[in-house]
Amino acid sequence: MRQQRVHVMAGNAFAVSDAQGDVETDPGVPVGLFSFDTRFLAHWVLRVDGDRLQALSRDDMTYFETRFFLVPGTVSHYVDADVSVIRHRSLDDSFNESLTVLNHSGDPAELTVRMEIGSDFADFAEVADAAQPPARRVRATPDPARRQLRLQYRRERFNRETIVTSTAPVDVDERGMTFQIRVAPHGQWETDLHVSMIVRGEGGQDMRADLETHRQHIRRDMRDDLREWLDRAPTLVAGDEALATAYRRSLVDLAALRYEPLSTVRRIPVGGLPWAMSLVGRDSLVTCLQTLPFTPELAPVTLRLLALLQGGRLDDTHEEEPGKILAELRYGEAAAFGEMPTSLYYGAADTTPLFVVLLDQYERWSGDTALARELRHAARMALDWIDEYGASTGDGYVRYQRRNTRQGTVNQCWKDSPGAITDRDGRQPDFPRATCEVQGYVYDAKACGARLAREVWGDPAYADRLEREAAALKRRFNDDFWLPDRGYYALALGPDGQPVDALTSNIGHLLWSGIVPDDRAGTLAEQLVGPDLFSGWGVRTLATGQPVYNPVASHLGAVWPWDNAVIATGLRRYGRAAEAARIAQGIFDMAEMVGGAVPEVIAGYPRTLTKYPVQLPIAGRPQAWSSGGLLMLLAAVLGLEPHGDNLLVDPVLPEGLGRIELLDIPGRWGYSDAYGRDRAAGVHGYRSRLR
């Protein structure tokens, strides 16, 4: 049985322990205290009189705070315990743990409380690869006078420190802290342990402390920050209590997954726990697109940062090209010394067109023409990249082939596992590959760029050019990718133009992008909710009935909530509201049954077989685009769409959902309200008001 893991998180810092609150390293498992891709605590074990503690209960108070209720000894001694311990753990800019030892007997208790402390300063990439971290020379400096233990690792300019401080008198040694305590009858003893994570830059200064938001974050109660975040989001009033719970949980998870990169003082969404607690271009762009009707504040800072980091040269190691949008940003040791290309890595074919799409969509929703004008150059560079570098083989399709042949990502689309791009029988095409959904994003980017050029940038000639290019791409794509004998689009084209004939969820992304002719939308809708693709919980990444199908393979048969949100939104774009509602209901039901954060991915088993969504061990929780996906599905069933200075609402809700109200939807119209009833109860309209 898998060991239960408990986490607290704040921004890109997170701590993962066992059910007792202890941390002991396990290869391939992200256990410890991490921040900016470095493990600052690898060992954090509490003992009382030499014994480990056993868990009685746990109170997960918020995403950044939890309490463990513990007793020393073994399970058989629970009922006779004279002593219990409360570990109250929280995480903001630092890791904090309050220890309370309670004496339940009528006699004084003399106890030895020991916190074992250690760090290996492992690069998160080593943990993710299940590699044994190299033996780093960690310097441990006890400072009893300050009640402090300092752990330091330094390699040339790379300097990381962990500083543990106690508020109570303590004996400090190189491996931990020991408290000799005497607790009065029915009394208690307390201490606070404060763990600082230091990222030193030039001149030895803590780079994180240079950010004003970090200093404010320490002084400010994170509960206030969370409350204000929730207050700014629309209020959901739903007869379905499970949906209301999932909605609030998704907003809380999105709050948890915001962090301040060292290059900015505004928070952007990270990918998710545990493997993507950093800026991942695709994940951040998708999350911002999903949340425009709910938390639009995520978009402008994400767009500005990605524009700041936009490619400006040719670099094979980092797969950088002029105009290309970042795939990943990491701060670990391997990235710092060029041992991994991830300090700034550009190996993604879809981030660049999605950047243009987000800029356009954000302006449509918010009316923020100033940002659209500010990022005009970045958007035009992105559009130039599509033609000059993305579609460099001459057939007009954006293709990918890694230039960093040793460490680069093989499949540079959202289905990025090595075997994800395959035909029905498991044959993989040669490179360069042109996946269908990327062409849809490119079409959408050209259409969005044309609208910005015409309505915001004042450049009608450029708009005309982009519209011609988009129309030509749409014609060419529908000739080359359509499989008339199968009734769907090929997953990809190989370098010779040969279609890769697997039936996949990617066809739903084509509806979202608008590249599909109206007369083919019905056929695609039937495929998407047919038994081969639709599991009952959601649309599978790859349909059953194909030899390569595997319900527990992430990109060969599993179900991703974010994927389904895009598909449902695409179906609504083409007037296929019933099919969109069916997909939304499957994901809503899955979220209710699983409970907690919306998982990244679940198995593709038929719902009729398992009766319960089967979670996969590879799935991270929470994930920004999974939480955002639930919001996007809600917007899809309500039919939310900006139209000039008005918000249009066209609700078609799944049966059984009852009545829902989404109040104070932000946008260029000020704030609007949307109302809807399920099909069994009839459809209600909406009203709009300005604050």
Side-chain angles (χ1 to χ4, degrees):
M1 181 177 293
R2 295 176 65 204
Q3 166 79 327
Q4 184 183 12
R5 303 295 180 188
V6 181
H7 71 263
V8 290
M9 56 193 299
N12 83 332
F14 65 99
V16 180
S17 70
D18 64 19
Q20 292 73 42
D22 289 337
V23 169
E24 291 182 290
T25 56
D26 183 356
V29 179
V31 175
L33 172 63
F34 296 86
S35 183
F36 287 97
D37 302 310
T38 296
R39 179 156 56 194
F40 285 85
L41 280 178
H43 193 81
W44 184 258
V45 174
L46 181 62
R47 296 181 185 270
V48 175
D49 285 345
D51 292 332
R52 300 284 289 270
L53 304 179
Q54 302 297 325
L56 294 175
S57 182
R58 188 177 76 249
D59 178 12
D60 292 329
M61 303 165 71
T62 65
Y63 63 84
F64 53 83
E65 188 174 21
T66 192
R67 288 190 295 184
F68 303 86
F69 299 89
L70 312 163
V71 293
T74 61
V75 175
S76 62
H77 291 96
Y78 277 5
V79 295
D80 300 320
D82 291 328
V83 172
S84 64
V85 178
I86 301 174
R87 303 175 79 166
H88 186 164
R89 176 173 297 170
S90 63
L91 183 64
D92 45 33
D93 234 36
S94 58
F95 177 86
N96 308 285
E97 187 156 297
S98 296
L99 300 179
T100 303
V101 179
L102 299 105
N103 180 9
H104 306 295
S105 75
D107 299 315
E110 294 188 355
L111 304 167
T112 299
V113 177
R114 169 77 173 172
M115 183 65 80
E116 300 172 0
I117 303 169
S119 178
D120 58 1
F121 293 98
D123 191 311
F124 190 75
E126 299 163 358
V127 180
D129 292 341
Q132 183 65 38
R136 293 176 171 86
R137 294 185 60 183
V138 177
R139 180 182 177 185
T141 307
D143 189 345
R146 295 185 178 180
R147 303 172 181 172
Q148 187 177 94
L149 175 61
R150 181 185 296 265
L151 305 172
Q152 183 180 29
Y153 170 66
R154 184 166 188 168
R155 176 186 170 192
E156 299 176 20
R157 66 184 185 279
F158 188 85
N159 191 342
R160 303 290 186 265
E161 291 183 27
T162 302
I163 303 174
V164 185
T165 306
S166 168
T167 58
V170 63
D171 296 325
V172 187
D173 59 67
E174 293 183 353
R175 297 190 176 183
M177 294 181 166
T178 303
F179 304 87
Q180 302 292 346
I181 68 173
R182 190 176 193 274
V183 188
H186 303 291
Q188 67 183 48
W189 170 90
E190 297 178 348
T191 189
D192 293 334
L193 299 178
H194 177 84
V195 182
S196 297
M197 299 165 282
I198 309 299
V199 178
R200 297 208 182 275
E202 295 295 331
Q205 296 297 313
D206 182 6
M207 295 172 66
R208 302 193 316 159
D210 289 339
L211 298 176
E212 177 63 22
T213 50
H214 283 291
R215 294 195 293 271
Q216 292 175 350
H217 220 48
I218 295 171
R219 295 194 297 265
R220 189 179 183 195
D221 193 323
M222 290 181 67
R223 293 181 186 85
D224 291 340
D225 179 75
L226 176 58
R227 183 175 60 253
E228 291 171 8
W229 166 265
L230 294 173
D231 286 346
R232 289 194 298 272
T235 300
L236 178 66
V237 180
D240 187 323
E241 185 176 337
L243 178 61
T245 299
Y247 174 74
R248 188 183 191 282
R249 177 59 191 257
S250 293
L251 287 173
V252 171
D253 289 338
L254 287 166
L257 293 168
R258 297 170 297 160
Y259 93 115
E260 298 98 337
L262 296 178
S263 54
T264 182
V265 296
R266 295 285 302 278
R267 283 179 285 181
I268 64 169
V270 298
L273 191 73
W275 308 114
M277 294 295 287
S278 62
L279 172 59
V280 181
R282 178 185 303 115
D283 297 38
S284 294
L285 287 163
V286 168
T287 301
C288 291
L289 283 162
Q290 293 169 327
T291 58
L292 286 174
F294 303 92
T295 57
E297 66 197 69
L298 295 175
V301 65
T302 300
L303 286 164
R304 283 192 173 99
L305 181 58
L306 290 174
L308 177 68
L309 301 175
Q310 189 171 27
R313 61 177 181 170
L314 292 174
D315 181 334
D316 287 350
T317 299
H318 297 88
E319 309 212 33
E320 180 181 358
E321 293 162 341
K324 199 173 188 182
I325 296 298
L326 191 74
E328 186 177 15
L329 171 65
R330 293 282 185 177
Y331 293 98
E333 182 179 358
F337 288 95
E339 296 159 358
M340 294 288 290
T342 49
S343 58
L344 288 170
Y345 182 60
Y346 294 84
D350 50 3
T351 52
T352 308
L354 287 174
F355 174 85
V356 180
V357 173
L358 176 59
L359 180 61
D360 173 71
Q361 290 296 308
Y362 173 70
E363 195 281 332
R364 289 185 65 223
W365 279 89
S366 68
D368 188 353
T369 56
L371 180 68
R373 293 190 184 101
E374 174 189 333
L375 298 183
R376 172 182 178 175
H377 178 67
R380 291 198 61 151
M381 283 186 64
L383 290 162
D384 289 346
W385 174 87
I386 288 172
D387 297 327
E388 295 178 20
Y389 297 97
S392 60
T393 60
D395 62 0
Y397 297 125
V398 171
R399 296 175 175 271
Y400 63 82
Q401 179 174 11
R402 63 176 180 173
R403 289 157 52 205
N404 183 335
T405 56
R406 188 170 66 91
Q407 298 169 313
T409 303
V410 174
N411 281 316
Q412 298 185 355
C413 52
W414 91 260
K415 294 180 178 177
D416 56 2
S417 57
I421 306 304
T422 176
D423 69 9
R424 297 174 60 88
D425 298 312
R427 293 184 295 267
Q428 298 183 38
D430 291 333
F431 294 95
R433 295 172 179 172
T435 58
C436 66
E437 84 289 352
V438 171
Q439 316 317 312
Y441 302 160
V442 169
Y443 168 80
D444 200 11
K446 287 180 179 290
C448 289
R451 190 196 74 86
L452 288 171
R454 192 175 304 282
E455 298 183 13
V456 180
W457 300 336
D459 193 342
Y462 187 48
D464 290 344
R465 182 190 125 193
L466 290 174
E467 287 170 349
R468 288 193 301 271
E469 292 172 354
L473 173 59
K474 185 173 184 176
R475 288 192 299 270
R476 186 169 60 250
F477 174 86
N478 280 280
D479 288 341
D480 295 345
F481 277 77
W482 182 250
L483 303 176
D485 55 332
R486 299 193 182 275
Y488 59 82
Y489 291 92
L491 169 61
L493 297 183
D496 57 356
Q498 182 67 26
V500 179
D501 63 354
L503 173 58
T504 67
S505 63
N506 299 50
I507 61 174
H509 290 235
L510 301 176
L511 294 171
W512 181 61
S513 71
I515 201 171
V516 176
D518 291 342
D519 59 358
R520 289 179 179 170
T523 302
L524 293 189
E526 292 172 5
Q527 294 276 13
L528 288 164
V529 297
D532 292 344
L533 273 176
F534 189 65
S535 73
W537 303 115
V539 178
R540 301 178 177 96
T541 45
L542 185 136
T544 63
Q546 303 173 102
V548 74
Y549 166 75
N550 181 346
V552 297
S554 59
H555 298 131
L556 297 175
V559 174
W560 293 65
W562 92 269
D563 188 24
N564 279 260
V566 167
I567 293 167
T569 304
L571 287 165
R572 284 304 312 256
R573 178 171 185 162
Y574 282 83
R576 309 300 300 199
E579 291 89 345
R582 186 177 177 191
I583 291 170
Q585 186 63 69
I587 297 296
F588 292 161
D589 289 348
M590 180 274 292
E592 177 183 1
M593 296 192 74
V594 169
V598 179
E600 181 180 25
V601 57
I602 62 169
Y605 295 117
R607 184 171 180 171
T608 54
L609 174 66
T610 63
K611 311 298 183 184
Y612 190 86
V614 176
Q615 299 186 66
L616 300 178
I618 61 168
R621 297 174 74 186
Q623 295 287 304
W625 64 4
S626 296
S627 300
L630 189 132
L631 305 187
M632 192 180 198
L633 286 166
L634 182 60
V637 298
L638 283 171
L640 304 184
E641 183 69 22
H643 185 75
D645 290 334
N646 297 294
L647 175 66
L648 299 185
V649 182
D650 182 19
V652 179
L653 274 55
E655 287 189 35
L657 201 60
R659 176 184 170 89
I660 62 174
E661 303 175 7
L662 192 65
L663 308 178
D664 292 332
I665 304 165
R668 63 195 305 157
W669 44 82
Y671 292 89
S672 289
D673 302 338
Y675 305 90
R677 291 184 181 274
D678 64 33
R679 289 173 290 173
V683 175
H684 199 67
Y686 81 99
R687 68 183 176 88
S688 178
R689 67 179 175 85
L690 293 178
R691 251 188 212 168

